[in-house]
Amino acid sequence: MLKELHIENFAIIDKIDLQLGAGLITFTGETGAGKSILIDAVETLLGGRADATMVRSGCERAYVEGRFYISPPVREPVHSILKREELLDDPEYVTLGREIRLNERNIARLNGRSVNATLLREIGEYLVDVHGQSEHLSLLRVRQHLGLLDNYAGLEDLLGGYQKTYHKLQAVRRELGELRQAEQEAARRIDTLNYQINEIEAAHFRPGEEETLRDERNRLANAEGLASLANEALQALDEGTSETPAVTDLFGQAVHALSNLAKLDPSQDNLSNQGQLLFDSLSEMVREIRSYLEGIEFNPKRLDQVEERLGLLQNLKRKYGESIEAILQYAERARQQLDAITHASERIQELEFDEAKLLSQIGIQGSMLSEKRREQAEKLGRSLENELYDLQMSGTRFEVEFRSRPDPNGAPLRDGQRVAFDSSGLEQAEFLIAPNPGEGLKPLVKIASGGETSRLMLALKHVLTSADQIPTLIFDEIDQGIGGRVGAVVGQKLWRLAQKHQVLCVTHLPQLAAFGTQHFHVEKLVQEGRTMTRVSQLTGNLRVEELAQMLGGISEGTLQSAREILQAVDNQTTH
């Protein structure tokens, strides 16, 4: 629902800020005052055409911004788009903006961030429908007709069951396709997989072996230096020279002295114990150095073997993975693929049986769906024709055309035929209309625009109100070519439609304008030599005067008529 609309330097609009509520909102004013410019601004906001001619004369840029409440029925798809683009800031509101510049690139904004106009159009389709002089008409998008019919008919459960079967069938067909493709390449693939598995298994690598091999190579390659350093440490610690006693001998003397000291002064037992612990650690170090020295191996042959094994590992890493673990995982996957190929023919037979079973189920469920659709399409047609009769379009005929096409691989029907199908069913649907008696039925997209189209859209919206989830509907010139009596009927229908939608309506009929829960007056002024549009909300006597003016000019008679119109509307909408 459109809550706030800000327009600046757009056409003859200087600056307008509107706070909009729920229900029916009417806009009235003299021809040329700028009512349709408001609609143009909203269409621009929704990703429509934007060029420099829209910028107010003497200005460098025009700006339109709208803040929308995301109604629960459209919250899921709108949130999906916002999350995909990482633009979800507020779960309940979204802000769209459009900046049109004279000599620079136009800018589209969504929640304050620059986006492309295509994204505005994508999200705008869930927020607003404009009917009248625009092409932003959801009911003229043929691909949506089947969904609208299904929602109108309450076929969600039946369609859901069909789609569940459809998705199962798609999964089976995907696997079948992969297996058949693999079967064609099976011989070559089997040889390749066997070679890869054998190459990896022949190496007998174990997890963690690479680190062990690198450590061993390091010791073998540096055996002479390691032995020299170990001997040097051993000599200093335990062997000594004729000139320099060993560290263990000197430390042993110190420990012996501390032991005698503690006997004379028991308070120094702790010092004697520390000395003994250090001596024991030193002795252990000496033993470990001797053991390490004995293990140092001068073995060029073993070094060659280690180098060769590391080279083999490096070769396998280039082919199958960056570590021994990755190589072993590759081998396991290869074994699984080999097993799958080996048993592919068995699996193909199973899947072909499943495919035939699911196709039969698709045919049964799809046929049931088609029957219900055709029944409800007739009901929809009768309801719509009754609505159009009220709107002074008597004689108008409406039908839903269903189209299907043969497909040898399609869903089987009871008569033996096979037809193409998709996630929506066994057919496509399109709404057809014959506005005038004697004329043939034509697609909605080919009928005339203007007031006739707007009334048709109103009738469709009124009939499909529970099916159509778009929160904001805008009707421009819906009263074109109709009189006051029918205008009251249109107003009542719009008011009823506004119980489930926010409805904005530009009108010249006081009988229609009186139904508005909000009433805005649009007027054109000249200030300081500049033409501008001003929009003000009317209440109380100001609204009565506006309706009287629309009836032919303010007088006691028209003022009284205006009050009577408002009273009649109040009686209709409160009972």
Side-chain angles (χ1 to χ4, degrees):
M1 182 171 70
L2 180 58
K3 299 288 288 184
E4 300 172 15
L5 180 63
H6 170 77
I7 306 173
E8 188 175 336
N9 299 330
F10 188 91
I12 61 172
I13 295 175
D14 178 23
K15 185 177 181 181
I16 290 175
D17 286 287
L18 299 181
Q19 304 293 319
L20 305 173
L24 174 60
I25 303 166
T26 55
F27 293 85
T28 61
E30 297 291 336
T31 300
K35 301 184 297 299
S36 293
I37 294 175
L38 292 173
I39 309 302
D40 292 340
V42 173
E43 290 188 279
T44 303
L45 187 64
L46 298 170
R49 181 185 65 85
D51 58 52
T53 60
M54 296 176 174
V55 180
R56 179 173 164 80
S57 177
C59 300
E60 292 295 320
R61 69 178 186 94
Y63 189 68
V64 184
E65 182 177 271
R67 187 166 185 257
F68 295 84
Y69 170 69
I70 309 173
S71 305
V74 298
R75 195 164 290 173
E76 183 178 346
V78 171
H79 280 187
S80 176
I81 296 170
L82 293 174
K83 288 176 182 177
R84 183 193 73 203
E85 302 295 331
E86 299 183 350
L87 293 171
L88 180 59
D89 295 338
D90 186 329
E92 293 192 343
Y93 289 90
V94 62
T95 300
L96 275 58
R98 199 80 184 274
E99 185 175 334
I100 307 164
R101 301 179 177 184
L102 276 183
N103 301 311
E104 299 179 57
R105 183 177 62 85
N106 297 331
I107 297 175
R109 289 191 175 91
L110 203 161
N111 284 340
R113 272 94 87 190
S114 293
V115 297
N116 56 50
T118 302
L119 183 57
L120 292 188
R121 285 194 292 274
E122 182 182 4
I123 206 164
E125 288 185 358
Y126 292 101
L127 301 175
V128 181
D129 239 348
V130 183
H131 302 296
Q133 299 175 355
S134 109
E135 294 179 355
H136 188 72
L137 305 173
S138 68
L139 289 171
L140 298 189
R141 289 193 285 273
V142 176
R143 56 180 161 66
Q144 293 193 4
H145 291 182
L146 202 56
L148 288 169
L149 176 60
D150 288 344
N151 288 339
Y152 167 78
L155 300 178
E156 292 84 357
D157 291 343
L158 194 58
L159 179 62
Y162 168 88
Q163 289 178 334
K164 187 176 180 180
T165 304
Y166 173 82
H167 292 310
K168 285 182 180 178
L169 177 61
Q170 294 304 105
V172 166
R173 284 185 162 178
R174 276 195 300 272
E175 188 177 351
L176 259 177
E178 291 170 1
L179 286 174
R180 285 168 176 160
Q181 179 68 25
E183 195 176 41
Q184 293 176 4
E185 303 174 358
R188 179 180 59 81
R189 185 64 179 152
I190 287 173
D191 289 343
T192 301
L193 289 171
N194 276 322
Y195 173 82
Q196 292 171 339
I197 292 168
N198 291 335
E199 185 177 31
I200 294 171
E201 289 180 345
H204 297 294
F205 279 112
R206 302 178 305 279
E209 185 179 352
E210 182 176 11
E211 185 177 350
T212 302
L213 287 170
R214 292 187 183 280
D215 289 344
E216 185 179 3
R217 180 179 64 179
N218 182 59
R219 290 193 299 273
L220 289 166
N222 296 285
E224 186 175 346
L226 294 172
S228 175
L229 291 169
N231 274 317
E232 184 179 342
L234 193 61
Q235 186 174 32
L237 289 171
D238 198 47
E239 296 176 356
T241 65
S242 58
E243 299 174 356
T244 305
V247 171
T248 51
D249 291 341
L250 293 173
F251 205 82
Q253 294 174 16
V255 170
H256 181 71
L258 288 172
S259 177
N260 290 332
L261 184 151
K263 289 177 183 178
L264 296 173
D265 184 358
S267 66
Q268 297 305 309
D269 276 348
N270 186 49
L271 190 62
S272 175
N273 291 336
Q274 287 183 43
Q276 187 60 50
L277 286 172
L278 289 172
F279 183 76
D280 291 343
S281 295
L282 190 61
S283 299
E284 180 62 28
M285 184 188 299
V286 169
R287 284 193 294 275
E288 288 184 7
I289 292 173
R290 289 189 186 281
S291 176
Y292 175 75
L293 186 60
E294 290 171 1
I296 293 175
E297 184 179 12
F298 297 89
N299 190 339
K301 183 177 179 181
R302 176 57 185 165
L303 178 59
D304 289 342
Q305 291 173 345
V306 171
E307 290 283 10
E308 183 179 348
R309 189 153 178 80
L310 284 170
L312 173 62
L313 176 58
Q314 195 61 34
N315 181 48
L316 294 182
K317 284 169 69 175
R318 281 196 299 270
K319 293 181 179 179
Y320 307 120
E322 297 180 354
S323 65
I324 290 177
E325 289 76 10
I327 293 169
L328 296 176
Q329 289 172 6
Y330 187 98
E332 180 58 30
R333 289 195 299 271
R335 279 189 287 269
Q336 291 173 359
Q337 291 177 31
L338 187 60
D339 184 67
I341 291 173
T342 304
H343 299 90
S345 59
E346 299 173 14
R347 180 59 180 159
I348 286 174
Q349 288 181 357
E350 291 176 9
L351 290 172
E352 286 175 342
F353 176 79
D354 291 343
E355 181 187 28
K357 184 178 177 181
L358 289 169
L359 264 177
S360 176
Q361 194 171 343
I362 282 281
I364 295 169
Q365 291 176 310
S367 296
M368 291 174 60
L369 194 58
S370 298
E371 289 173 11
K372 290 291 185 183
R373 283 169 172 166
R374 283 167 171 77
E375 289 175 10
Q376 293 299 317
E378 292 182 9
K379 180 181 174 182
L380 173 63
R382 290 193 298 270
S383 299
L384 183 61
E385 288 167 6
N386 290 335
E387 291 286 334
L388 292 171
Y389 179 84
D390 292 341
L391 296 173
Q392 216 172 49
M393 291 180 69
S394 60
T396 299
R397 290 191 303 122
F398 176 89
E399 284 186 12
V400 180
E401 180 184 58
F402 295 95
R403 292 187 297 269
S404 60
R405 59 182 179 83
D407 183 345
N409 297 314
L413 303 181
R414 284 190 289 267
D415 60 5
Q417 295 184 61
R418 285 182 176 267
V419 295
F421 61 94
D422 58 21
S423 61
S424 61
L426 309 184
E427 65 275 306
Q428 298 299 316
E430 183 173 7
F431 294 166
L432 304 181
I433 194 85
N436 302 304
E439 292 185 2
L441 291 159
K442 296 179 181 178
L444 278 180
V445 294
K446 294 184 178 180
I447 65 170
S449 60
E452 188 178 71
T453 303
S454 288
R455 276 180 281 163
L456 176 60
M457 292 303 113
L458 171 59
L460 280 165
K461 287 288 184 181
H462 202 264
V463 172
L464 298 170
T465 182
S466 60
D468 190 354
Q469 303 298 329
I470 296 177
T472 298
L473 310 176
I474 299 177
F475 292 90
D476 187 15
E477 295 191 4
I478 195 170
D479 52 14
Q480 186 181 42
I482 63 176
R485 184 180 63 82
V486 179
V489 174
V490 172
Q492 188 177 45
K493 290 186 183 297
L494 285 173
W495 182 84
R496 288 177 181 170
L497 192 60
Q499 305 312 297
K500 292 189 176 181
H501 302 266
Q502 179 193 49
V503 179
L504 281 62
C505 178
V506 173
T507 180
H508 296 280
L509 289 176
Q511 293 86 351
L512 194 161
F515 279 89
T517 51
Q518 273 184 293
H519 185 165
F520 288 96
H521 176 60
V522 183
E523 60 180 330
K524 185 163 61 176
L525 306 173
V526 178
Q527 292 184 352
E528 299 178 359
R530 298 294 305 276
T531 301
M532 62 182 62
T533 293
R534 184 173 67 186
V535 181
S536 53
Q537 186 170 351
L538 302 179
T539 57
N541 288 333
L542 288 176
R543 189 179 190 194
V544 173
E545 291 175 5
E546 172 68 4
L547 295 178
Q549 185 69 47
M550 295 171 71
L551 285 166
I554 298 177
S555 66
E556 283 302 321
T558 56
L559 288 170
Q560 181 59 32
S561 295
R563 294 187 190 98
E564 290 173 357
I565 289 172
L566 287 170
Q567 184 59 52
V569 168
D570 185 60
N571 292 336
Q572 291 182 62
T573 57
T574 55
H575 294 87

